């Protein structure tokens, strides 16, 4: 066997590939459908697969500690496990003193009876002594003089703070006075531990030989003492003996397994050859083989085969198998997929375009992190346990797989073969049957998976829950379409399972809402929603697909007209079944009046298209609109905290729009107040419907009046058209009020204000909707059309100059759109990178000057002498630069 050398500095890397950066949690990257912790020996739970922590952190440690079980025996099995646990670990020492002194106020005496102390005197006296010692039972920390970090000392108690001779004398005296060898052993453990923690390593070793070994008891306290002995041996540099004893603790103690394994790693030379030569029993050989498989998990099957040869019934095999299945699951069932393919229209696909969609898999970042940890390059390795993530087995079947690659780089069959073989050797084991059923599920053999599950007879609640969950998964995933009959069947059969969040907890976390940096771990419920969302999407039920992963409030992040229409149609559907009502419709209930919400959506679309009368017809039904979330905050430099801003009177999605939306820019600033960035036209008073603050219905009504006035001739008509041009420009991606008609709450920079054709398109479902905020491109020709009318009807040269500048600004928006749509990608590795970049910029500059500077040219050639032009050249550096050319 190979020898493995690990320095202390590599412990974090060697233990379970712990996370590299505090901001990244790899265990957030999968659904945890297969419950790893259904292994029989729950004390082995820490060694299940986790990439976020050194050990697998389960919500509740369900196994019973051997130490407490020993205490339970001591108390004659008359106390429950929890009662004994509380007595040992939670009951304050003063309450034990009250019990010992027979005080009537003793809660323990009232609970266990007057004679309880006399019957268990030696045990209670030991617990009193142990609780007095416990605050000091840690090794003294010696700060390195070269230490870079400051360590805040919160508790200066350690073993050296106790009087050494007095403590040793007291423990030895109590040891000698004690008759029960089980309690005597516990005092022996305290003696060894105290010597270890005071760095009296030789004395710790001698104490173990003289005070622990002669008792000849291999119970839980013995291995607690052995663990301390190994620590002392390591302190003396006797690493081979230390590792062997840590290994014995790892093998025989259920509650000390993680700490013993960590201690084995920390010793300077983890000599597995030495351990192998000293293993005599089958159990020892099993555990050593398990360690090899655990450490070298990129290729565990060889060591699983070795362990199988030693003992095919070994519970350690379950741990390695559970880890292997979990690793496969992470590869097969990622929580994100790349969805940036575009169809011809760049819009949400209609039912007729579904068959044309393609999808590529998003390479998860944790694979990259894992490659760093394990020392693997990004190049494929024949020995790598998990195939490169390229499969999407539960979505559109024929579109997502390279069958040849799947054949060459797929470890599922060999794991299935091993599990099937091991299951045959363990016919009474539910674990192996459930594992095989899950692997069949991953392999899309749903009927076979269900057949195996149906054959499992168990009274174990943990197994029964897993079986029920897997049957449900098979049932859902095997459905190519989700019709109303299946919805009814599913809701009737699985209603409680779907609606009870406790059934879907990601157990590798701290609780039901196991959060890390604000992110909730994905669960089985999330996977189910993805499957339903995908099926609905592929069959054209866009509304239901959206609502499986999002609320209606999320729609505003990426408003799409087709999707809005689908959502409204679903909302108004009169024959909804129970599944639609209780599972899907609930996600439409967070916007207040839904009808008013859609009225604003459609009104905004009409406004962006310049259809003001149509917008009015919608806005007339929007008075009960409940507003977008108006939570705002600002940073307080004095306190270093973000503080909420009172948003009363602010724009809320329908009301409180500043009348300056009809004005023009004084300077370019999106963060300044409106009255600093914009200025009302001098003639705005001639149009009394334009008020300091307006709602969208009032704006639509005003625009309709302006349209009518603009059809006439003369000054009023020119002014009316200019005002319409202003609002269309001001609500474009270049305008201060760019947020008003795209369902945003402020004009802060974001994806809605980009110039490319809609760059993001959903292809398999609407997951992560609020993270992709891309809107349709602005039609700057609308503003230019009204500005042109104003220019044609205007007689005043100063006003014409202003209009031309506004037209030049809108034309600049058209150039940005052209430029964004005609980007040239040049590799940084290209030896001619600089030259090609220069050629690209020169070409764009030529196109801009030839096609997108027409209004600037007119302004320069015909209106440079106006006061308006002079003021603009002073306030607009871009125009100033153009004039200087």
């Amino acid at each position: 066997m190979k020898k493995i050398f690990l320095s202390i500095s590599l412990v974090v890397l060697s233990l379970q590939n712990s996370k590299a950066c505090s901001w990244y949690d790899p265990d957030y990257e999968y659904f945890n459908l297969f419950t790893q912790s259904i292994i029989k020996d729950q004390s082995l739970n820490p060694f299940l697969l986790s990439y976020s922590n050194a050990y697998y952190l389960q919500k509740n440690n369900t196994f019973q500690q051997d130490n407490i079980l020993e205490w339970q025996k001591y108390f004659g099995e008359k106390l429950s496990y929890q009662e004994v646990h509380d007595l040992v670990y939670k009951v304050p020492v003063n309450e034990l003193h009250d019990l010992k002194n027979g005080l009537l106020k003793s809660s323990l005496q009232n609970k266990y009876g007057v004679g309880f102390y006399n019957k268990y005197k030696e045990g209670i006296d030991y617990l009193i002594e142990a609780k007095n010692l416990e605050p000091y039972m840690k090794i003294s920390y010696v700060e390195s003089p070269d230490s870079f970090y400051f360590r805040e000392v919160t508790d200066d108690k350690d073993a050296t703070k106790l009087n050494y001779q007095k403590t040793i004398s007291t423990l030895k005296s109590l040891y000698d006075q004690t008759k029960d060898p089980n309690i005597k052993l516990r005092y022996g453990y305290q003696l060894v531990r105290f010597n270890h923690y005071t760095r009296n390593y030789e004395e710790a070793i001698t104490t173990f030989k003289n005070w622990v070994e002669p008792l000849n008891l291999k119970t839980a306290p013995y291995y607690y003492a052995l663990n301390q002995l190994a620590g002392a041996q390591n302190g003396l540099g006797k690493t081979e003996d230390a590792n062997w004893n840590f290994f014995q603790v790892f093998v025989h103690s259920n509650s000390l397994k993680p700490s013993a394994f960590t201690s084995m790693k920390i010793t300077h030379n983890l000599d597995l050859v030495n351990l192998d030569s000293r293993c005599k029993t089958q159990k020892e050989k099993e555990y050593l083989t398990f360690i090899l498989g655990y450490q070298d998990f990129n290729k565990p099957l060889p060591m699983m085969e070795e362990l199988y040869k030693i003992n095919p019934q070994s519970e350690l095999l379950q741990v390695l198998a559970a880890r292997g299945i979990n690793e496969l699951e992470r590869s097969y069932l990622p929580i994100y997929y790349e969805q940036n393919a575009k169809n011809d229209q760049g819009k949400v696909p209609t039912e007729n375009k579904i068959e044309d969609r393609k999808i590529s898999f998003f390479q998860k970042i944790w694979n990259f992190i894992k490659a760093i940890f394990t020392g693997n390059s990004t190049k494929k390795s024949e020995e790598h346990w998990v195939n490169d993530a390229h499969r999407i087995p539960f979505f559109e079947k024929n579109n997502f797989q390279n069958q040849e690659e799947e054949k060459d780089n797929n470890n599922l069959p060999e794991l299935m073969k091993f599990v099937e073989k091991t299951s045959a050797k363990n016919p009474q084991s539910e674990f192996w049957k459930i594992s095989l059923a899950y692997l069949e599920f991953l392999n899309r053999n749903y009927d076979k998976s269900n057949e195996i599950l149906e054959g499992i007879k168990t009274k174990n609640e943990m197994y029964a829950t897993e079986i029920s969950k897997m049957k449900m998964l098979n049932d859902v995933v095997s459905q190519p379409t989700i019709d109303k009959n299946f919805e009814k069947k599913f809701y009737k059969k699985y209603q409680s399972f779907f609606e009870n969040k406790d059934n879907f907890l990601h157990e590798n976390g701290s609780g039901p809402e196991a959060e890390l940096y604000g992110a909730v771990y994905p669960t089985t419920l999330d996977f189910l929603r993805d499957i339903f969302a995908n099926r609905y999407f592929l069959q054209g039920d866009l509304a239901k697909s959206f609502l499986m992963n999002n609320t209606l409030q999320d729609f505003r992040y990426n408003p799409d007209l087709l999707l809005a229409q689908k959502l409204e149609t679903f909302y108004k559907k009169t024959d909804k079944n129970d599944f639609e009502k209780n599972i899907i419709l609930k996600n439409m209930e967070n916007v207040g009046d839904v009808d008013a919400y859609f009225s604003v959506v459609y009104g905004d679309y009409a406004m962006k298209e310049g259809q003001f009368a149509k917008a009015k017809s919608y806005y007339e039904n929007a008075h009960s609109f409940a507003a977008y979330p108006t939570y705002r905050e600002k940073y307080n430099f004095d306190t270093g905290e973000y503080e909420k801003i009172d948003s009363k009177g602010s724009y809320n999605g329908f009301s409180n729009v500043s009348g300056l939306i009809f004005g023009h820019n004084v300077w370019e600033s999106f963060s300044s107040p409106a009255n600093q960035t914009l200025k009302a036209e001098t003639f705005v008073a001639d149009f009394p419907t334009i008020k300091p603050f307006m709602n969208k219905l009032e704006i639509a009504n005003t625009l309709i009046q302006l349209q009518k006035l603009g059809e006439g001739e003369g000054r009023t008509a020119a002014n009316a058209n200019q005002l319409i041009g202003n609002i269309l420009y001001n609500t474009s991606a270049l305008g201060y009020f760019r947020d008003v008609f795209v369902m945003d709450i402020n004009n802060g920079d974001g994806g809605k204000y980009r110039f490319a054709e809609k760059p993001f398109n959903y292809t398999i479902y609407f997951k992560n909707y609020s993270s992709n905020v891309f809107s349709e491109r602005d039609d700057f020709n609308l503003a230019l059309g009204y500005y042109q009318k104003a220019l044609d009807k205007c007689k005043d040269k100063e006003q014409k100059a202003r209009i031309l500048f506004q037209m030049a600004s809108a034309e600049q928006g058209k150039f940005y759109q052209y430029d964004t749509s005609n980007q040239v990608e040049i590799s940084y590795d290209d030896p001619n990178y600089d030259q090609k970049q220069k050629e690209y910029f020169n070409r764009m500059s030529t196109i801009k000057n030839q096609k997108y500077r027409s209004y600037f040219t007119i302004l320069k050639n015909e209106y440079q002498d106006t006061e308006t032009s002079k003021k603009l050249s002073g306030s607009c550096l871009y125009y100033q630069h153009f004039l200087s050319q």
Side-chain angles (χ1 to χ4, degrees), residues 57-301:
L57 303 177
Q58 202 177 4
K59 178 190 169 191
N60 295 310
N61 288 321
T62 56
F63 76 92
Q64 296 185 326
Q65 298 179 33
D66 44 13
N67 180 43
I68 301 302
L69 293 174
E70 289 291 337
W71 275 112
Q72 211 172 0
K73 287 181 184 177
Y74 174 79
F75 289 115
E77 308 287 353
K78 295 179 181 179
L79 303 184
S80 69
Y81 178 89
Q82 189 59 51
E83 287 175 324
V84 175
H85 182 276
D86 292 346
L87 192 63
V88 173
Y89 292 123
K90 293 185 178 181
V91 172
V93 68
N94 62 298
E95 290 191 26
L96 292 180
H97 277 295
D98 290 346
L99 176 66
K100 179 177 181 176
N101 296 327
L103 298 180
L104 294 177
K105 67 177 182 179
S106 170
S107 60
L108 295 176
Q109 181 170 293
N110 294 334
K111 185 173 183 178
Y112 300 125
V114 176
F116 184 77
Y117 172 75
N118 291 330
K119 188 172 183 178
Y120 302 110
K121 177 180 181 298
E122 289 186 343
I124 300 301
D125 286 346
Y126 168 78
L127 286 175
I128 290 173
E129 183 64 23
K131 287 176 184 287
N132 285 328
L133 289 174
E134 193 59 33
Y136 300 90
M137 286 301 100
K138 50 181 175 282
I139 202 162
S140 59
Y141 178 80
V142 180
E143 183 78 50
S144 168
D146 299 323
S147 177
F148 178 77
Y149 296 101
F150 171 75
R151 186 176 70 93
E152 183 179 1
V153 179
T154 57
D155 182 0
D156 61 353
K157 292 180 180 178
D158 62 60
T160 62
K161 299 300 189 294
L162 295 174
N163 184 292
Y164 178 79
Q165 293 298 337
K166 182 178 179 181
T167 303
I168 291 292
S169 177
T170 299
L171 288 172
K172 286 183 176 180
S173 176
L174 290 169
Y175 179 99
D176 290 334
Q177 295 171 23
T178 300
K179 305 300 182 185
D180 190 321
N182 292 291
I183 303 301
K184 191 182 286 284
L185 177 61
R186 293 184 180 278
Y187 282 117
Y189 155 67
Q190 294 288 356
L191 281 164
V192 177
R193 180 167 73 152
F194 182 62
N195 276 302
H196 174 207
Y197 286 168
T198 54
R199 301 182 188 273
N200 290 290
Y201 299 138
E202 291 286 5
E203 187 62 29
I205 295 172
T206 301
T207 300
F208 184 87
K209 291 179 179 178
N210 296 334
W211 298 77
V212 175
E213 281 187 336
L215 296 174
N216 200 29
L217 288 173
K218 296 291 182 73
T219 56
Y222 171 83
Y223 291 104
Y224 275 59
L226 187 65
N227 195 48
Q228 296 298 322
L229 168 66
Q233 290 171 327
N234 188 50
L236 292 172
K238 300 178 179 180
T239 56
E240 289 189 5
D241 288 339
N243 272 331
W244 173 252
N245 287 323
F246 281 134
F247 177 67
Q248 290 297 311
V249 175
F250 179 69
V251 171
H252 296 286
S253 173
N254 70 2
S255 54
L256 293 179
K257 286 190 190 306
S259 65
F261 185 73
T262 300
S263 297
M264 291 172 68
K265 291 282 194 176
I266 290 178
T267 55
H268 299 292
N269 183 357
L270 178 49
D271 193 338
L272 297 178
V273 174
N274 176 272
L275 290 179
D276 183 48
S277 66
R278 298 174 74 166
C279 288
K280 300 292 187 267
T281 68
Q282 175 178 296
K283 187 173 184 178
E284 289 171 345
K285 293 177 180 178
E286 285 181 42
Y287 269 90
L288 182 60
T289 307
F290 168 77
I291 289 175
L292 287 170
Y294 177 79
Q295 287 192 149
D296 204 8
F297 195 67
N298 279 342
K299 41 184 186 297
L301 270 174

Side-chain angles (χ1 to χ4, degrees), residues 409-677:
N409 195 28
N410 182 5
N411 292 289
L412 176 58
E414 55 183 300
L415 183 57
M416 287 182 68
K417 184 178 179 181
F418 180 85
V419 170
E420 191 171 16
K421 175 178 70 174
T422 310
S423 181
K425 283 288 186 179
N426 296 269
Q428 304 305 314
S429 171
E430 297 98 327
F431 171 84
W432 291 108
K433 294 175 183 176
I434 291 172
S435 298
L436 186 58
Y438 185 76
L439 291 174
E440 293 286 6
F441 164 76
L442 285 183
N443 205 36
R444 296 192 295 251
N445 294 325
Y446 310 120
D447 290 340
K448 179 64 176 177
S449 178
N450 273 334
E451 181 183 333
I452 296 170
L453 294 170
E454 290 292 344
I456 303 174
K457 308 301 178 186
T458 183
K459 295 181 180 179
N460 185 298
E461 184 178 347
M462 178 175 60
Y463 291 137
T465 299
E466 186 75 0
I467 290 168
S468 296
K469 180 178 72 174
M470 289 178 61
K471 286 180 178 179
M472 178 183 62
L473 290 173
N474 281 323
D475 204 2
V476 173
V477 173
S478 62
Q479 297 296 316
T481 59
I482 307 293
D483 57 22
K484 62 181 180 181
N485 291 328
F486 181 76
E487 288 174 338
K488 292 176 181 178
K489 167 191 166 186
F490 179 86
Y491 190 74
K492 182 178 180 181
K493 193 173 182 179
Y494 302 116
Q495 174 186 356
S496 60
F497 199 86
F498 196 95
E499 293 181 342
N500 181 6
K501 288 186 178 181
D502 289 340
N503 286 326
F504 299 97
L505 304 184
H506 189 311
E507 54 183 309
N508 193 10
S510 59
E513 294 297 307
E515 294 188 1
L516 185 67
Y517 311 115
V520 181
Y521 285 109
T523 65
T524 303
L525 179 58
D526 296 308
F527 178 77
L528 279 177
R529 290 190 178 279
D530 279 4
I531 295 298
F532 272 90
N534 169 254
R535 299 300 189 265
Y536 285 137
F537 190 94
L538 296 179
Q539 65 199 42
D541 292 336
L542 302 184
K544 290 200 279 190
S545 177
F546 174 86
L547 293 169
M548 289 307 299
N549 290 124
N550 308 277
T551 66
L552 185 54
Q553 191 65 270
D554 296 327
F555 173 81
R556 71 180 186 84
Y557 290 104
N558 194 6
D560 184 277
L561 187 57
L562 171 63
L563 180 56
Q565 292 165 346
K566 296 286 187 178
L567 287 165
E568 186 186 32
T569 298
F570 172 74
Y571 175 72
K572 292 183 175 180
K573 180 182 174 183
T574 58
D575 58 343
K576 298 183 188 72
N577 57 47
D578 289 337
F579 181 82
E580 292 173 319
K581 291 177 183 176
N582 299 321
I583 304 299
I584 302 177
L585 187 63
K586 285 184 177 180
N587 279 343
M588 300 190 80
E589 296 173 352
N590 65 340
V591 297
D593 189 323
V594 178
D595 289 318
Y597 184 87
F598 282 115
S599 293
V600 172
V601 172
Y602 296 140
D604 286 353
Y605 262 95
M607 291 292 275
K608 291 288 283 186
E609 294 170 352
Q611 300 180 38
F612 308 131
K614 185 177 180 182
K616 174 188 175 182
S617 68
Y618 288 119
Y619 288 148
E620 285 175 333
N621 300 313
H623 286 293
S624 57
F625 176 71
Y628 303 143
T630 54
Y631 171 77
R632 292 175 173 85
E633 61 182 16
K634 67 176 179 180
Y635 185 76
N636 186 320
F637 288 93
D638 294 329
T639 63
E641 301 288 338
Y642 282 94
E643 299 175 349
K644 288 185 178 180
I645 299 174
D646 183 8
S647 59
K648 184 178 180 181
S650 300
Y651 170 64
N652 66 4
F654 182 72
S655 303
N656 303 318
V657 181
S658 170
L660 287 171
I661 198 170
F662 289 94
H664 63 262
N665 275 27
V666 176
W667 67 327
E668 186 78 10
S669 174
F670 290 100
S671 58
S672 302
N675 59 7
Q676 292 180 13
T677 302

